[in-house]
């Protein structure tokens, strides 16, 4: 192999390494932002909606889906507890029939795919539904982290203990 061929081969490998390192850095920054940018737990429905909007936008920055639907479902009654849908740019949202029971039972649609929360302890599940695209393992891991974080934040938001503690603190402040 002549030196110019060897040099070209080394340059190509170096370029590939820099591209890979750049991709890893973007992934690390995305994961970091999922856990660091949310400074406070949501205190009301509007703040919970803002959390869902934030996570939906982060998800759209992770995957090239046209839209994403975040859905929290009660597993016993199949009732939607919270949901938020976000589309990319000027993409028109198409009304998809995505039945809660189907999501819980693991059914997939021809136009969408989803990631679900990994915890099975609670009587609810959180889903990240998005337009059918192929995702790699790193993207799946980041989506899983986002969905698990949303479920945790929703549990805290709905926690009777947490709400009761806030009421007690507010009464103390009022009586002071």
């Amino acid at each position: 192999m002549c030196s110019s061929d060897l040099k070209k081969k080394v340059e190509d490998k170096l370029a590939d390494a820099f591209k890979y390192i750049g991709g890893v850095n973007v992934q690390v920054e995305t994961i970091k932002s999922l856990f660091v940018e949310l400074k406070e737990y949501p205190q009301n429905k509007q703040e919970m909606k803002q959390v869902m909007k934030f996570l939906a936008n982060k998800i759209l920055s992770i995957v090239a889906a046209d839209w994403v639907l975040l859905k929290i479902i009660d597993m016993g009654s199949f009732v939607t507890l919270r949901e938020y849908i976000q589309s990319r740019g000027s993409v028109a949202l198409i009304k998809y029939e995505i039945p809660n029971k189907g999501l819980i039972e693991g059914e997939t649609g021809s136009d969408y795919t989803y990631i679900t929360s990994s915890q099975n302890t609670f009587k609810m599940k959180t889903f990240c539904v998005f337009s059918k695209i192929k995702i790699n393992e790193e993207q799946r891991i980041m989506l899983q982290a986002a969905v698990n974080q949303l479920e945790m934040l929703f549990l805290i938001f709905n926690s009777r203990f947490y709400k009761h503690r806030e009421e007690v603190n507010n009464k103390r402040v009022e009586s002071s």
Side-chain angles (χ1 to χ4, degrees):
M1 186 180 289
C2 70
S3 71
S4 65
D5 288 340
L6 182 59
K7 181 180 175 186
K8 175 72 172 140
K9 189 174 183 179
V10 169
E11 286 174 350
D12 288 346
K13 284 187 177 190
L14 186 60
D16 287 345
F18 278 125
K19 186 189 286 185
Y20 177 77
I21 291 168
V24 169
N25 285 338
V26 168
Q27 291 172 355
V28 167
E29 288 302 313
T30 302
I31 290 173
K32 184 176 151 186
S33 73
L34 284 174
F35 294 104
V36 174
E37 288 184 30
L38 295 172
K39 302 280 187 216
E40 295 181 4
Y41 296 125
Q43 302 284 323
N44 54 49
K45 288 181 181 181
Q46 185 61 30
E47 288 179 9
M48 188 67 209
K49 183 178 178 180
Q50 290 302 318
V51 165
M52 293 180 84
K53 179 179 180 179
F54 168 79
L55 289 173
N57 283 315
K58 287 295 179 186
I59 289 165
L60 288 175
S61 75
I62 294 169
V63 296
D66 289 334
W67 55 268
V68 63
L69 168 65
L70 297 173
K71 204 171 209 188
I72 304 170
I73 303 171
D74 179 284
M75 292 180 62
S77 65
F78 304 115
V79 170
T80 300
L81 302 173
R82 286 276 185 285
E83 70 180 351
Y84 184 84
I85 190 162
Q86 180 74 40
S87 65
R88 180 180 302 284
S90 61
V91 172
L93 291 174
I94 299 170
K95 179 73 174 159
Y96 288 100
E97 289 297 321
I98 303 174
N100 291 352
K101 186 175 182 182
L103 287 173
I104 290 172
E105 292 176 352
E107 296 174 7
T108 59
S110 60
D111 297 333
Y112 65 88
T113 190
Y114 63 88
I115 303 283
T116 185
S117 54
S118 56
Q119 297 297 318
N120 293 319
T121 310
F122 304 103
K123 300 288 184 207
M124 61 179 232
K125 272 293 198 194
T126 303
F127 294 86
C128 172
V129 185
F130 49 95
S131 52
K132 193 141 202 155
I133 59 166
K134 192 165 186 79
I135 62 171
N136 62 37
E137 183 64 14
E138 290 83 12
Q139 290 170 317
R140 189 192 66 70
I141 290 167
M142 287 188 286
L143 294 178
Q144 186 76 60
V147 170
N148 286 340
Q149 171 132 1
L150 176 57
E151 185 167 282
M152 179 187 66
L153 290 168
F154 183 75
L155 284 168
I156 291 169
F157 174 70
N158 282 315
S159 168
R160 289 180 191 212
F161 172 77
Y162 178 69
K163 287 181 180 180
H164 175 70
R165 190 177 76 212
E166 288 298 311
E167 289 171 7
V168 169
N169 288 341
N170 288 339
K171 286 180 183 177
R172 285 184 191 153
V173 170
E174 289 171 5
S175 64
S176 299

